Amino acid sequence: MSPIHRRDFLAQLALTTSALALPSLSSGHPATADEFIVTDTAYGRVRGMRQDGVNVFKGIPYGGRVSGDRRFRRSAPLEPWTGVRDALQVGPPAMQAPRRNEPAPSEDCLFLNVWTPANDTRKRPVMFYNHGGGFVIGSGASASQDGANLARNFDVVVVETNHRLGLLGFLYLDELAGPDYAGSGNMGMLDIVDGLKWVHENIAQFGGDPANVMVWGESGGGAKTACLYTMPSAAPYFNKASIESGPGVRMTTKDVAAETTTRLLRELNIAPKDWRKLLDVPAADLLAIQAKLPFVAPFLEKNNAKPPMDRKAGGFGPVVDGVALPHHPFDPKAPAISRNKPLLVGWNEDEYTFFAWERKDTEFTKLTFETLPAKLEPTYGANARNIVDTYRKANPDASAPDIFVAISSITMMGLGSVDIAEKKAQQGGAPVYLYNFGYKSEKKVPGTDYAMGTPHAMDISFKFNNEIMPRDGSAPRESFFGGNRPERFVASRHFAELWTSFARTGKPSLQNGPVWPTYNLKTRPTLRIDTTCTVINNRFADELALWRALGKF
């Protein structure tokens, strides 16, 4: 199995199915409430529940119909309702394989969830989270990203949306279908913008400050956040952002997206002039066709871009259409529209072990320093030996599997994160802060004695402060990725405190920790987040110099 590289990482984000199918925050039935809470919105009254000191509203509609004649278009206007609408269970996720303990996926999926300490006038910072799963799976109802502990312990309001995904969210029809379908290649992103607009209009009723909104997300949610950082329609509705293990530097070009549409029509035996027949194909059939195509479109880097005759079609994700998404998020530079919006960006130290777990890869743990160069040669050719030598010199105590994980993790998530930090710093506007998450889980990659360390997606439960002693005094359960050691509670507290302080002020801080310096091109400070947080200047200097010399970023 070859290592995963930056040009492929967004495709690999679609492999996060298993992690994102953790038990949801709702079984599809109303939970037991300490009491019910009724509040107003611009569209009607909603009834949520108060549980353990947090008001929770699930399944609030923020957009109208996106099925029928609204397929591949902006949603129909949300119709106001009379009386009180229950907001006690999550709404259906976007079309995908069924998700455990959630309603059946549905084409009409524009619902959001809110966690707040109180429906009052406190004007708390709002943390608007974009779920992961590439651009093809996931929802705002995963247990690991339950917002109750952030709301309770840090006095913030948390919002998460469901939005269109895959073919239904990102099929590019602009050149076939005319002005009614303008922006069709970015419907999933424009749904998120509608969610942000709903927050702007309604969050004051939930104790939040519409003038202090942070957008954040992990994995595919990080890439969505990178897109929002670039989109004119999103700009009025948020003030700061965090891109976590999902450095969306480049997105799909129009010509590649158009080729994907042509391929889809061919699969369905629909002539381009008859594209309207797509409106009559059952959503489940479109999902089946989607499964025949690559999960995610090729996100070509400038150093790996292929000539027009060698492009690869297939896959679905945001399209650089010049309007909804005017340009690549961070290529060739940081977006001017968000010049004055502070940014967090970073990655987990051992991203690759998640993908080893997902793909049942145990072979990497058997690598030796004699076999490692051959493992890397299919990707790096004659440079493989030099890469190994550089990493061994920089990490003298690392084993061959450790070196393989380090190379795979930094090329997948690290290089793009550093690229974003550097371009944001070069811009000279609002600050950018670079981090690495490094708490080490003792859990083993299944079938091996190799510890997971800090895998992709492990940060979700940590930053949501969901690695915590149970409030009822019972013994804590083993974390899905984070393991059993009680030290994880400290690392989770640090992560959550940093992110909520950033949401509140635009500057991440720890009450009992080091000052996190703004990233700059002289000292290049990185905060390593663990049970003890540490500022490291010019981290991975030798490794990054190597990748720059090889033209990888």
Side-chain angles (χ1 to χ4, degrees), residues 430-447:
V432 58
Y433 301 90
L434 183 66
Y435 76 90
N436 295 137
F437 180 43
Y439 175 81
K440 301 304 179 189
S441 170
E442 79 281 10
K443 291 192 74 170
K444 302 297 192 289
V445 175

Side-chain angles (χ1 to χ4, degrees), residues 164-331:
R164 280 175 283 183
L165 299 168
L167 186 160
L168 290 165
F170 299 100
L171 181 65
Y172 181 66
L173 291 171
D174 292 33
E175 295 169 12
L176 285 178
D180 284 348
Y181 292 83
S184 56
N186 289 297
M187 284 299 112
M189 291 305 310
L190 292 168
D191 290 343
I192 299 174
V193 172
D194 285 344
L196 283 166
K197 183 178 180 182
W198 184 94
V199 165
H200 185 76
E201 295 173 346
N202 295 282
I203 209 64
Q205 298 289 339
F206 296 80
D209 184 356
N212 189 14
V213 177
M214 169 185 173
V215 295
W216 57 313
E218 182 270 349
S219 194
K224 293 168 191 173
T225 301
C227 290
L228 292 170
Y229 208 67
T230 311
M231 295 174 67
S233 58
Y237 302 128
F238 73 97
N239 313 88
K240 56 189 76 73
S242 175
I243 299 169
E244 303 143 14
S245 295
V249 175
R250 293 177 61 84
M251 294 293 137
T252 309
T253 59
K254 288 193 294 184
D255 48 4
V256 172
E259 289 182 18
T260 301
T261 302
T262 297
R263 180 171 173 179
L264 172 73
L265 293 171
R266 189 180 304 123
E267 289 278 351
L268 291 167
N269 199 27
I270 295 175
K273 65 181 178 61
D274 296 325
W275 66 268
R276 284 188 176 276
K277 291 182 178 179
L278 287 170
L279 305 181
D280 299 321
V281 178
D285 292 350
L286 291 178
L287 187 64
I289 291 293
Q290 175 181 303
K292 295 182 178 181
L293 301 175
F295 268 170
V296 179
F299 295 80
L300 300 178
E301 299 177 72
K302 59 185 177 183
N303 293 326
N304 294 294
K306 298 182 178 181
M309 297 305 293
D310 194 29
R311 289 192 302 265
K312 294 180 180 178
F316 299 96
V319 179
V320 181
D321 60 7
V323 181
L325 188 61
H327 47 76
H328 294 292
F330 285 91
D331 186 56

